[in-house]
Amino acid sequence: MSTTGLVVDRGLEGVVVGSTVLSNVEGQVGRLTYRGYDIDDLAPNASFEEIVHLLLHGHLPTADELESLKRELASRRALPEPLIAAMQSVPKTAWPMDVLRTIVSGLALFVPVNNKGEHVSDVHSAIELVAKMTTILAAWDRIRRGLDPIEPRADLSHAANFLYMRTGKVPSEIEEDAIDTYLVLLADHSFNASTFSARVTASTRADIYAAVTAALATLTGDLHGGAASASYNNLVAIGSPEKAEQFVRDELAKGNRIMGMGHREYRVRDPRAKHLEAIAKRLSDHVGNSKWYGIARELENASQKALQEAKPDRKIYANVDFYTAPVLADLGIPGDEFTALFACGRIAGWSAHILEQLHDNRLIRPQATYSGPPSGPFVPVEQRTAATVGA
Ligand code: COA
């Protein structure tokens, strides 16, 4: 739509609002790259720590650089005691994503300010956030189950330590790899809604804690990071693979969307879905009697078929959230923690985008056309009537 020469684009679809060297989403061919490296090469070969280094420092780490990053991450894992006490004092029914957003925002209270009274936003504060977010999520998982949080272990990888802090058991290699690859796959995705939100906030010169808090708030909705939990709820509601087709028919007849299907950028299957599907299958075999992968497979088939018939021009395929559901379910992670775990991966990208924005900053401030009433006279309150206010 065009009004007085301005183009209005609801949802900014196809509108270029900036440039980034961090990741590239090629929606037509289904390719995702981080700083030029294809996700298909990174997912099976690189650890989450290597991706954090790639995004924050600009190159894949040497062995020494990787060791140094691992040491820094490990040294920053523990939470300030008052924040653990704060988690212990909130209702156990609180949504993990609300807790994560609140405690991440609270981290700023414990970070010393510089001589200008500001928090420093740099690679180290970024690593601090990467290190602490999984600790917050694991601590809340235990606190809401009535258990004490478990201290992080410095000798474990980021992925293994997360699982360890939830259960107190060092995970198997398959479980560790599953979470590690999940975090790699979720680490960045160009100017998605939450990353854009982080960049808008950073562009005002707000600090990294404020910008990440804004990103966390933006991630919550089920058109973005909330979709994996919604997708898990679908698997639970379906119950067994042969019921998937009827479920899809019923959902579409009610005008509902099939969560985990469709993407603003991809016109083919999301490239991350195949890696998550492979992990879901491996975990399902590992667990033995898991039903989640089987239901997800049937749900994808049925959804793809029904959506191709219903929307032949739109090309709606599985996105990253679709196979996140069986992967995390088989790792014993409750469905309402999925969005928070998404954030624990995306923090790598968010923080790199915030630093990139600050490096060459210009306030992000778009325009809107005005579609309200024409200007009119102000009427003082004592003379106002229903007629003068247009009620
Ligand atoms: N199930 C059913 N219909 C869907 C659909 C889905 N998962 N995704 C898109 N559609 C339909 C819409 O209803 C719409 O139909 P209409 O033109 O008759 O109104 C059409 O396809 C286009 O949808 P639109 O919302 O304009 O496309 P978009 O580019 O904004 O969609 C999503 C992207 C992600 C918002 C959308 O696919 C969606 O809602 N998916 C489910 C939620 C999800 O998985 N989110 C995680 C994304 S990683």
Side-chain angles (χ1 to χ4, degrees):
M1 180 173 87
S2 178
T3 316
T4 58
L6 291 173
V7 175
V8 178
D9 195 312
R10 287 174 67 246
L12 297 179
E13 185 165 359
V15 176
V16 176
V17 294
S19 177
T20 179
V21 299
L22 295 168
S23 63
N24 192 20
V25 178
E26 294 172 80
Q28 296 297 335
V29 294
R31 185 163 47 230
L32 170 62
T33 48
Y34 298 163
R35 290 193 186 270
Y37 294 100
D38 199 311
I39 196 73
D40 285 349
D41 294 324
L42 296 174
N45 297 311
S47 66
F48 181 62
E49 287 88 334
E50 287 173 81
I51 301 304
V52 169
H53 194 285
L54 174 67
L55 291 172
L56 289 177
H57 291 283
H59 60 272
L60 284 169
T62 62
D64 285 349
E65 285 171 331
L66 184 58
E67 272 320 299
S68 157
L69 174 63
K70 283 181 178 173
R71 273 198 302 278
E72 181 167 358
L73 280 167
S75 72
R76 291 178 183 273
R77 281 177 182 154
L79 298 177
E81 191 50 46
L83 290 181
I84 294 179
M87 281 192 270
Q88 280 162 331
S89 68
V90 304
K92 301 218 175 352
T93 49
W95 187 31
M97 194 58 184
D98 286 341
V99 175
L100 183 65
R101 189 194 66 233
T102 304
I103 301 298
V104 164
S105 179
L107 284 175
L109 309 174
F110 297 88
V111 177
V113 290
N114 64 13
N115 55 12
K116 289 192 216 145
E118 296 163 350
H119 295 125
V120 177
S121 301
D122 62 8
V123 165
H124 301 291
S125 41
I127 292 170
E128 168 99 357
L129 282 159
V130 173
K132 285 190 165 48
M133 277 179 44
T134 41
T135 313
I136 296 168
L137 179 56
W140 176 243
D141 176 80
R142 290 184 68 81
I143 289 169
R144 70 175 176 154
R145 287 188 283 142
L147 303 169
D148 286 331
I150 293 176
E151 293 283 319
R153 259 177 59 173
D155 60 326
L156 298 176
S157 71
H158 191 68
N161 178 60
F162 167 63
L163 292 172
Y164 166 76
M165 288 188 297
R166 293 185 75 253
T167 62
K169 280 192 257 148
V170 176
S172 68
E173 211 177 301
I174 286 188
E175 292 165 332
E176 178 182 357
D177 280 355
I179 283 290
D180 185 62
T181 309
Y182 168 78
L183 296 173
V184 167
L185 290 167
L186 271 291
D188 198 33
H189 211 240
S190 189
F191 274 47
N192 59 88
S194 55
T195 301
F196 185 51
S197 182
R199 292 190 74 129
V200 170
T201 307
S203 84
T204 70
R205 294 201 201 153
D207 67 36
I208 193 167
Y209 298 94
V212 169
T213 304
L216 280 160
T218 309
L219 187 69
T220 52
D222 69 5
L223 296 188
H224 192 9
S229 297
S231 183
Y232 171 70
N233 292 340
N234 286 347
L235 301 185
V236 174
I238 293 168
S240 58
E242 70 282 1
K243 295 189 183 147
E245 206 175 322
Q246 187 60 45
F247 175 85
V248 171
R249 271 203 294 272
D250 292 348
E251 285 297 291
L252 294 181
K254 283 186 260 173
N256 292 340
R257 295 185 176 206
I258 310 296
M259 291 295 136
M261 298 294 294
H263 200 277
R264 176 60 69 78
E265 294 296 319
Y266 294 118
R267 291 294 165 259
V268 293
R269 201 176 188 228
D270 185 324
R272 298 165 294 181
K274 67 172 171 294
H275 297 286
L276 287 166
E277 186 192 350
I279 297 169
K281 177 157 188 349
R282 206 177 313 138
L283 277 174
S284 172
D285 295 343
H286 176 68
V287 173
N289 57 356
S290 163
K291 59 183 182 178
W292 304 124
Y293 172 68
I295 302 174
R297 272 285 337 131
E298 284 309 310
L299 179 60
E300 184 186 12
N301 286 342
S303 306
Q304 200 171 300
K305 200 162 151 258
L307 288 167
Q308 258 163 17
E309 280 164 23
K311 308 264 164 221
D313 302 331
R314 190 67 199 177
K315 301 195 188 332
I316 300 170
Y317 298 99
N319 63 46
V320 68
D321 293 308
F322 193 89
Y323 283 101
T324 290
V327 166
L328 299 188
D330 271 339
L331 287 167
I333 295 171
D336 65 353
E337 292 183 19
F338 291 4
T339 313
L341 195 56
F342 181 150
C344 292
R346 186 56 55 85
I347 180 60
W350 286 338
S351 51
H353 276 273
I354 290 163
L355 299 185
E356 186 181 55
Q357 180 68 37
L358 292 175
H359 179 70
D360 183 24
N361 190 39
R362 180 156 166 80
L363 178 71
I364 298 172
R365 202 309 189 182
Q367 292 183 356
T369 57
Y370 176 69
S371 51
S375 45
F378 174 80
V379 179
V381 67
E382 58 279 6
Q383 294 164 25
R384 242 173 260 159
T385 63
T388 65
V389 298

